[in-house]
Amino acid sequence: MRARRWRHPWAAWAERFVLSSGPEVIALLERQGAVSVAALEAFQRWSAGEAALAAEVRRLEHEADDARRDLLGALQRALATPISQEDLYILSERTDRIVNQAKNLVGEAEALRWTPDAHAASMAEHLANGIKQLQEGFLALGKRAGNPASAADSAVAEVRAVEHAYRAAMASLREMEDLRAVFLCREMYRGYVRTAEAVASVADRLWYAVLAEG
């Protein structure tokens, strides 16, 4: 009969202690993702003409910051996590950039008295869809359902859609005679593309996390 391997009486307790923060950090990333989705949905509605949603975008940006701080605190306490602490930190930081970019766009538009148009609304819709896909990827990292790599690819597809909408928006500027309006629209449209680039950077790190764990 095979001899039973000896274990120190404290071994089981130690394992539970070391792994206790694992599920917590994934749940906190999911929470940050959920607030970020809400922020981009508000941004989408603002871009579609609901000016009053500017305040909601700002409120949710602060809430997303709080969610990120909670995650960083948990990472500081955790001795082990389901995926690397570096991946969790970078996914959180890059997701934060997306919401910050959206909030900054709202602020710039208000300062410059620029009203989003149909092109902006189209780009914002794809941005909201993109961050929803990232959140699906976070949920998949937590083993709830789905595939994080597929979610990352879907997010990148939304980024490409933003780029297509941006080119259409730029082409439309040829019909404008007011050069000041042309330059203003071009700068605001570029802000939407920069936000899309932030989405792509999260998707890229999500893929990296998948490969690292594979």
Side-chain angles (χ1 to χ4, degrees):
M1 188 172 72
R2 198 172 191 179
R4 178 178 294 181
R5 182 178 161 187
W6 183 86
R7 297 186 73 200
H8 193 282
W10 288 84
W13 176 88
E15 287 175 1
R16 287 196 298 272
F17 176 78
V18 168
L19 297 175
S20 62
S21 294
E24 179 189 10
V25 293
I26 295 292
L28 289 171
L29 179 64
E30 292 169 3
R31 180 183 164 228
Q32 182 186 350
V35 177
S36 301
V37 167
L40 267 291
E41 287 177 335
F43 177 71
Q44 177 186 356
R45 292 172 60 191
W46 173 83
S47 296
E50 296 185 48
L53 268 293
E56 182 68 357
V57 173
R58 281 188 278 268
R59 185 189 71 78
L60 287 165
E61 188 272 336
H62 291 308
E63 189 174 331
D65 283 343
D66 291 340
R68 173 165 163 71
R69 278 191 289 271
D70 289 343
L71 172 58
L72 295 183
L75 285 176
Q76 194 173 31
R77 296 188 301 271
L79 298 179
T81 52
I83 65 173
S84 81
Q85 290 180 314
E86 180 182 359
D87 286 336
L88 287 164
Y89 179 91
I90 292 175
L91 286 169
S92 174
E93 189 271 334
R94 292 184 183 181
T95 300
D96 187 55
R97 286 187 204 174
I98 299 170
V99 181
N100 287 342
Q101 289 272 21
K103 183 204 71 172
N104 292 341
L105 265 172
V106 170
E108 289 172 16
E110 291 178 329
L112 297 170
R113 298 181 181 177
W114 180 77
T115 302
D117 55 20
H119 297 296
S122 174
M123 288 187 279
E125 181 179 1
H126 291 299
L127 289 172
N129 290 339
I131 201 164
K132 288 174 187 174
Q133 291 301 322
L134 295 177
Q135 173 66 346
E136 289 297 316
F138 296 163
L139 292 170
L141 283 178
K143 311 298 184 187
R144 301 199 190 283
N147 183 314
S150 296
D153 288 342
S154 295
V156 171
E158 296 295 341
V159 169
R160 299 288 177 260
V162 172
E163 293 169 351
H164 289 309
Y166 169 74
R167 286 194 287 271
M170 293 298 288
S172 73
L173 296 181
R174 292 196 300 260
E175 302 171 8
M176 299 176 65
E177 296 181 357
D178 184 343
L179 286 180
R180 180 183 177 280
V182 169
F183 287 121
L184 177 56
C185 286
R186 183 184 67 175
E187 185 57 30
M188 296 307 297
Y189 293 156
R190 284 178 174 173
Y192 283 81
V193 172
R194 286 193 291 271
T195 309
E197 290 169 350
V199 171
S201 71
V202 180
D204 182 66
R205 191 68 192 198
L206 191 54
W207 247 114
Y208 180 88
V210 172
L211 293 175
E213 294 304 308

